[in-house]
Amino acid sequence: MKTTDVPRYTPDWLELRESADAAARSPELIEELRPRLAGPPLVIHDLGCGTGSMGRWLAPRLRGPQLWILHDRDPDLLDRAALRMPRAATDGSRITIATARGDLARLTASTLDGASLVTASALLDVLTAEEVEGIAAACAAAECPALLALSVVGRVEITPADPLDAEIAEAFNAHQRRGDLVGPDAMAVAAETFARYGATVRTHASPWRLGADHAALTAEWLRGWVGAAVEHRPELAGRAEAYLRRRLAIAATGALRVVVHHRDLLALPASRMLGAAA
């Protein structure tokens, strides 16, 4: 991942999606993870932390003292995340926050020395296969589990249907694969890569389910979804503009339903599996 001062996501977008993200993430994987965490204290590295929504969701679900090390390339997002992280777990144990600005390409086992967990949300699909490999290799060398949430899988369901839905979806998915990005192939790539490094991999569905209560998020998601499709296929512009107007009009009435499919991934290193069995 190239280091840059330009943030990939705006804080407004990250704030808008937080409640849908929280509702979508898989609590089932947390149940499997808990007994395999080394600590106390739990030392958790949150990669591409954004405004810290993963930490706000996960930290209260874990017991005992925690040290969260927030990683992002954008200093403004790091500051926001650090300020808004919880300071106490559900059982009252202290949560301590540290930040690390930098490039995920430099993630190594030494970075993760003493880590109990590596986590991320909505990150895998904007990485290259090489970057996914780097995360898997670092986790394997550090014998550290990884919980990687909300990777898009290239499937969207919109009700009521529109004749242009499939064409927009296909162009969007192609845009997500631009350059060397894994895009909607992220889950398959990550599962294979972590398994190759000896991890036991579990995945679980984590779809967004957007309806009348998510009008602002639905509208912003539609604009981004259609905009990316047109960026990949400019010849769609005229039809896509009319399509977006139709979709936004239905969304404004509260009648549009959107399911954006994601999956969460849990990778458990062999040493943690053996430890749990013992």
Side-chain angles (χ1 to χ4, degrees):
M1 185 176 294
K2 308 290 192 300
T3 301
T4 174
D5 290 330
V6 179
R8 187 182 297 277
Y9 301 117
T10 67
D12 288 346
W13 167 247
L14 296 175
E15 297 286 350
L16 192 58
R17 64 176 289 171
E18 182 164 350
S19 64
D21 286 350
R25 294 189 189 101
S26 165
E28 293 84 355
L29 294 182
I30 304 301
E31 294 304 314
E32 185 161 359
L33 170 66
R34 262 197 209 98
R36 296 171 173 86
L37 289 172
L42 299 179
V43 180
I44 302 169
H45 290 257
D46 187 10
L47 308 182
C49 68
T51 59
S53 68
M54 185 65 172
R56 288 190 292 277
W57 179 82
L58 181 57
R61 287 169 168 78
L62 302 175
R63 293 185 174 275
Q66 302 169 37
L67 167 61
W68 279 76
I69 303 172
L70 308 177
H71 298 255
D72 208 284
R73 61 185 184 174
D74 180 356
D76 179 58
L77 291 179
L78 279 175
D79 289 345
R80 288 170 182 259
L83 285 172
R84 296 182 58 200
M85 279 289 291
R87 292 311 196 259
T90 303
D91 62 358
S93 298
R94 183 181 179 188
I95 296 175
T96 306
I97 312 301
T99 61
R101 184 188 177 199
D103 187 346
L104 289 183
R106 294 197 293 268
L107 187 72
T108 65
S110 62
T111 309
L112 302 180
D113 185 34
S116 306
L117 176 67
V118 164
T119 191
S121 187
L123 177 70
L124 284 180
D125 45 59
V126 296
L127 300 180
T128 66
E130 182 180 359
E131 288 163 342
V132 174
E133 177 103 16
I135 294 172
C139 289
E143 299 185 340
C144 174
L147 177 65
L148 307 170
L150 292 173
S151 295
V152 297
V153 296
R155 233 179 105 221
V156 172
E157 301 171 47
I158 308 180
T159 307
D162 185 282
L164 204 56
D165 287 345
E167 196 169 356
I168 296 291
E170 182 181 357
F172 175 83
N173 288 341
H175 180 270
Q176 293 298 94
R177 296 184 176 102
R178 67 196 181 279
D180 296 322
L181 301 183
V182 292
D185 305 315
M187 189 53 48
V189 169
E192 186 279 330
T193 303
F194 276 93
R196 185 158 31 85
Y197 279 93
T200 297
V201 177
R202 313 277 193 242
T203 71
H204 199 282
S206 53
W208 276 0
R209 300 186 185 277
L210 308 181
D213 293 340
H214 305 90
L217 175 59
T218 302
E220 195 61 26
W221 173 83
L222 276 167
R223 292 185 184 99
W225 191 60
V226 174
V230 171
E231 186 176 318
H232 182 74
R233 286 186 55 196
E235 69 275 13
L236 281 174
R239 289 187 295 144
E241 183 178 350
Y243 171 87
L244 181 59
R245 283 199 302 269
R246 291 194 301 272
R247 285 319 206 177
L248 290 174
I250 299 171
T253 71
L256 196 71
R257 299 291 182 270
V258 180
V259 180
V260 183
H261 290 274
H262 308 88
R263 288 194 80 82
D264 294 358
L265 178 146
L266 174 64
L268 297 168
S271 60
R272 299 294 172 92
M273 295 299 290
L274 291 171

